[in-house]
Amino acid sequence: MSRRLIACEHCDYLHVEEDIPAGSVACCARCGSPLYSSEQTRFDKPLAFALTALLLFVIANIYPVLTFGMEGRVETNTLASGVLTFWDEGFPFLAFMVAVTSILAPLLLIVAHIYVLVPIWLDTSWPGMQKVWRVLAVVRPWSMLDVFLIGLLVALTKLTDFAQVIAGPAFVAICCLIPTVLLMNVSLDGRAVWRRIAPKSLRYPDQDDLKPVHEEGGVEARHHGLLSCHTCAMVVIEDPSGHTKCPRCGDAVHQRKARSLSRAWALLLTAIILYVPANVFPIMKVTYLGKSEADTILSGVAALTAAGEWPIAIVVFTASILVPIVKIVLLGWVYLATYLGLSGPLRERTMIYRITELVGRWSMVDVFMVSILAALVKLGNIASVHPGFGAVAFCGVVILTMVSAMAFDPRLIWDRAGMRTSVISFGSDRAEKQGTPS
Ligand SMILES: [Zn+2]
Ligand SMILES: [Zn+2]
C-alpha cells in the first residue's frame, strides 16, 4: 500500500509517512528535525482550552495587572497601558510592537483556533477556514504573552523595593493563560486539522508519484519534481510553469525561499549595527525622589545584582545580553558556512539554526519591562519612569534577528554543502538553486 510523502522543512529529505506510537515524534532521518507527532484526532480538548484561553484573555485585558502605591498615591495598569504610554511618550514603534506581541497576536491565535475547531467539532464547515489556519502560521511566532509575564516579574522585582505593589486579577489571568495556551497547542495535531479542512477531493502525492532520479543522491523532494509547502507542509507536485500553488492551503510554493541568504544577511547586519545604540543609549530614565538616572541594559543588570536579586539578574542577563549576542554569532556562522558552501557537521548546523529560531523571542523581556514600568510609575518628581531610545534600538535588534532567521531557508545548508565558493555569486537566486547534495 502506498503511503503519503513528507519532506523535511529543514533539509528537504523525502520520507514516507508512517503510523507512529501515541505520544511519540517522528524525526528527519538526515538532519534530526521533528517531522510530525503521533496523530491526535480529538478536537474537543484543544477547543475547550481555546475557549478557556479566550475567557482568561478577556479578564487579562479588562482588569488591572498591577496596582502601584507610593506616598499615598495609587496607579494601576492594564495590558494596554504600556502601549498607550509608549504612544504618548513618542515611541510609536515600541507601542506597535508591544500591541502586536502582547495583545493582537495572542488574541488572533486564540480566536483562529476557536474559528477552526468549532466547525470541526460540529462536523461542518465555515467559510475561509483554510485562510484562517494559514494566517495562524504567520501569527504564531509573534504571540509573546509568556515573555510578557517574565517582563512583568522583572518589573515587579524592581518596584517592590521602594513601593507597595499588588498583583491584580489580570496578573492571575495571565499566569493561568500561558499554561492554557500551551495545553491548547500540545493537545492539537496541526496535521490533523489540515486534513480535516482540506478540500474533500484533494489527492496527496504518494510513492507512485516518485520520478526516476538522475541526480546524485536523489533523496530530496526537489529531485523528484516535488515541493514542500512552507505553510501547511504538504508535498506538492511542481507545476511546469514555475508557479506552483498549494492545493490544500492556497499559498504559493517555491523550491527554496527567494534570495533567502542575501535577505537573511542584510537583516542580520542591520541588527548588528543597531546592537551598538541598543547598549549605549538608556532603555529608560528613572526619576526617584527628585534624582534622575538613565538605565542602560547593562546598568539594569548591575543594579539587580547589587540589590541581591540574583535569580532575576540572571534571567535579564540571559535574555537581554547573552541570547542576542549568541544568536547573532550563531546565525552569522550558519549563514557564512552556507555561503562558503562548507561541508562538515551539517546536522549540528541545522540544529543550531533551529535553536536560534526558538530562543530569540525571549529577548523581548526588557522591552516589556520598560512598557510596564513606564505605564505604572507616573508620580512626577517623586517617582517616574520614561522609555529611552535604547529600548527602540534593542526592540529593533530582537525583531530583525527573528525576521532574519525566518528569511533564511535552512535547506540551503544542505544544498550548498561542498560547493566551491568561486562558482557562487553571492546572494543570487540562481546560485541558491545550483547546489548539489553532499
Ligand atoms: Zn531534515
Ligand atoms: Zn500548503
Side-chain angles (χ1 to χ4, degrees), residues 99-180:
V100 167
T101 52
S102 67
I103 301 172
L104 297 176
L107 177 66
L108 254 171
L109 186 91
I110 297 166
V111 171
H113 273 82
I114 294 171
Y115 187 83
V116 171
L117 291 175
V118 168
I120 291 180
W121 181 59
L122 295 172
D123 205 16
T124 174
S125 173
W126 285 356
M129 285 165 79
Q130 287 102 334
K131 268 194 192 127
V132 171
W133 205 240
R134 205 170 96 188
V135 169
L136 200 70
V138 181
V139 169
R140 203 181 286 278
W142 301 103
S143 172
M144 299 189 191
L145 263 181
D146 43 358
V147 186
F148 183 87
L149 180 65
I150 304 294
L152 201 56
L153 294 175
V154 177
L156 202 61
T157 311
K158 283 188 178 264
L159 290 173
T160 43
D161 284 346
F162 64 96
Q164 196 194 13
V165 188
I166 303 162
F171 184 92
V172 181
I174 295 169
C175 289
C176 299
L177 181 59
I178 289 149
T180 309

Side-chain angles (χ1 to χ4, degrees), residues 152-332:
L152 201 56
L153 294 175
V154 177
L156 202 61
T157 311
K158 283 188 178 264
L159 290 173
T160 43
D161 284 346
F162 64 96
Q164 196 194 13
V165 188
I166 303 162
F171 184 92
V172 181
I174 295 169
C175 289
C176 299
L177 181 59
I178 289 149
T180 309
V181 171
L182 190 75
L183 287 168
M184 175 183 84
N185 290 329
V186 171
S187 62
L188 185 64
D189 180 3
R191 271 185 328 149
V193 173
W194 273 121
R195 280 177 193 166
R196 286 292 288 266
I197 64 177
K200 292 282 174 270
S201 57
L202 184 65
R203 187 191 156 266
Y204 291 86
D206 55 30
Q207 281 165 304
D208 297 338
D209 295 293
L210 294 179
K211 282 184 191 164
V213 172
H214 304 294
E215 281 185 72
E216 190 191 336
V219 293
E220 295 177 13
R222 65 184 175 133
H223 297 147
H224 297 271
L226 299 169
L227 306 176
S228 176
C229 174
H230 193 69
T231 307
C232 75
M234 179 178 163
V235 168
V236 181
I237 297 169
E238 190 171 12
D239 194 300
S241 70
H243 299 284
T244 312
K245 205 173 157 193
C246 175
R248 183 159 73 173
C249 72
D251 220 351
V253 191
H254 308 281
Q255 197 180 71
R256 299 292 181 261
K257 289 179 193 169
R259 296 183 302 282
S260 94
L261 195 51
S262 45
R263 281 193 297 135
W265 263 126
L267 291 159
L268 187 69
L269 290 174
T270 317
I272 294 170
I273 294 165
L274 267 184
Y275 192 70
V276 179
N279 280 279
V280 171
F281 288 98
I283 54 164
M284 60 181 177
K285 288 182 196 106
V286 183
T287 304
Y288 183 55
L289 301 178
K291 218 176 110 195
S292 287
E293 232 175 64
D295 249 1
T296 60
I297 292 172
L298 212 57
S299 73
V301 176
L304 282 167
T305 316
E309 303 283 0
W310 280 98
I312 295 290
I314 291 168
V315 169
V316 176
F317 177 79
T318 308
S320 307
I321 296 170
L322 204 60
V323 168
I325 292 178
V326 170
K327 189 173 176 182
I328 286 171
V329 170
L330 291 180
L331 279 180

